[in-house]
Amino acid sequence: MISVTNLVRTYGDFTAVDDVTFTAEAGRVTGFLGPNGAGKSTTMRVMTGLTPATSGAALVLGKPYAALTNPGRHVGVLLDASAQHAGRTGREVLTLGAMTLGVPRGRVDQMLDVVGLTAKESERRLRNYSLGMRQRLGLAHALLGDPEVLILDEPANGLDPAGIRWMRDLLGTFAAEGGTVLLSSHLLHEIEKIADDIVVIGRGKIVAQGTKDELLRPSGALVRSADDRALAAALAEENLTFEQLPTGGLQVEAETGLVGAVAATHRIALVELRAGDSQGLEEMFLSLTSDDARKELAA
């Protein structure tokens, strides 16, 4: 489990992370989303002991990362797949990692097999690796100590569609076996497929969090009637918020039962009444972070 409480990180007058609080539970995949510069990477760096917090706390398995004994045996981290020694082979990187963590050398071959790097590929220098191969090696290194928690920043970068599906299955299995996964990615479609919980950050603040089903569930009601003008007047009389749709009908910020009751009271015949359409993760993300996106485009 990961617990972030009232976390603040400032750089001079700039506040990169502003009173951030959320948890990533064991047995679940938590998607950590936000535009560039929103504070995701800074938060993850504080979690993993690379950046000190100005105030607040980020605990992994109930402790600060630095307080864990041999932390790589408990927490697998992949923040930058390119931050590896270009002159070493993939096998050398994992072997040094195994020696540092105190795990059997046989774990190296197991992890190479898990991430799909062949024996021949493992003997190549990292300078000759594609980005996708570096990502696979980074995941192998994160899994090397058989951790309980994974903290991954953009692990799908450079992976082809088959590789992305492989990673999705790998992380899903890890969580299903009781592990905690915190996953940052710009691939919203993939986050929508794999995440159980979602945390959205914008300008250093949490702007939404909850289970995927809670955040993406349909909102309000869609209603069409024999007289939409009269229905709109009736809804306004009841102080209900609504929007007229270009294709006809109304989108109402209220439960279907209430909308139906208003129509019945005013003797307005309904042609259609149903729960509003569910928004996808991309639509939710863009609506929550639109100010940041405009700021980035203008910069």
Side-chain angles (χ1 to χ4, degrees):
M1 177 178 172
I2 300 169
S3 177
V4 179
T5 307
N6 303 124
L7 184 66
V8 175
R9 174 61 198 187
T10 60
Y11 297 93
D13 294 333
F14 175 66
T15 302
V17 179
D18 189 358
D19 197 27
V20 164
T21 297
F22 69 90
T23 59
E25 301 286 348
R28 302 177 70 82
V29 177
T30 300
F32 191 33
L33 308 178
N36 290 336
K40 300 189 306 297
S41 294
T42 300
T43 301
M44 296 173 98
R45 287 179 62 84
V46 173
M47 285 179 197
T48 54
L50 296 172
T51 298
T54 302
S55 63
L59 305 181
V60 184
L61 300 172
K63 298 179 180 180
Y65 182 87
L68 294 170
T69 302
N70 198 355
R73 297 295 299 268
H74 305 283
V75 186
V77 178
L78 175 56
L79 299 185
D80 184 357
S82 297
Q84 300 168 1
H85 195 301
R88 292 197 176 114
T89 67
R91 180 175 293 278
E92 287 172 345
V93 167
L94 293 183
T95 300
L96 287 170
M99 293 170 63
T100 301
L101 295 175
V103 298
R105 298 286 186 91
R107 184 78 177 163
V108 171
D109 288 316
Q110 292 174 13
M111 291 303 98
L112 287 169
D113 185 57
V114 165
V115 303
L117 288 174
T118 66
K120 184 176 181 180
E121 289 170 336
S122 73
E123 299 299 338
R124 289 166 58 179
R125 304 289 176 186
L126 266 62
R127 66 170 60 94
N128 299 317
Y129 272 28
S130 66
L131 178 55
M133 291 173 67
R134 285 175 182 259
Q135 293 285 18
R136 288 176 182 268
L137 182 65
L139 281 168
H141 200 283
L143 292 166
L144 195 59
D146 193 20
E148 303 162 62
V149 176
L150 288 176
I151 299 175
L152 310 173
D153 192 4
E154 301 290 348
N157 275 357
L159 294 179
D160 59 19
I164 291 172
R165 182 169 184 175
W166 158 81
M167 186 195 70
R168 187 197 314 153
D169 292 342
L170 176 69
L171 299 183
T173 299
F174 183 89
E177 293 175 350
T180 301
V181 180
L182 181 68
L183 171 65
S184 165
S185 177
H186 284 104
L187 300 177
L188 300 182
H189 179 65
E190 288 306 314
I191 290 289
E192 188 167 359
K193 285 186 175 182
I194 191 174
D196 301 299
D197 305 306
I198 294 172
V199 178
V200 185
I201 188 172
R203 298 189 183 182
K205 291 179 174 289
I206 299 299
V207 295
Q209 62 178 307
T211 69
K212 180 174 63 179
D213 292 341
E214 288 172 346
L215 293 177
L216 302 184
R217 69 164 51 124
S219 62
L222 189 150
V223 59
R224 303 179 195 278
S225 71
D227 188 346
D228 283 348
R229 181 176 296 181
L231 179 58
L235 293 169
E237 186 178 321
E238 298 294 333
N239 295 316
L240 296 179
T241 301
F242 62 88
E243 177 184 356
Q244 294 190 343
L245 301 175
T247 55
L250 306 170
Q251 179 77 38
V252 188
E253 294 301 319
E255 297 296 326
T256 54
L258 179 56
V259 175
V262 171
T265 299
H266 290 79
R267 297 181 178 276
I268 300 170
L270 298 184
V271 177
E272 180 182 9
L273 176 60
R274 59 181 173 84
D277 295 328
S278 174
Q279 63 177 344
L281 180 58
E282 182 176 8
E283 289 75 17
M284 184 202 74
F285 176 82
L286 292 175
S287 68
L288 290 171
T289 61
S290 58
D291 289 342
D292 290 340
R294 284 196 293 269
K295 180 179 178 181
E296 185 171 311
L297 289 172

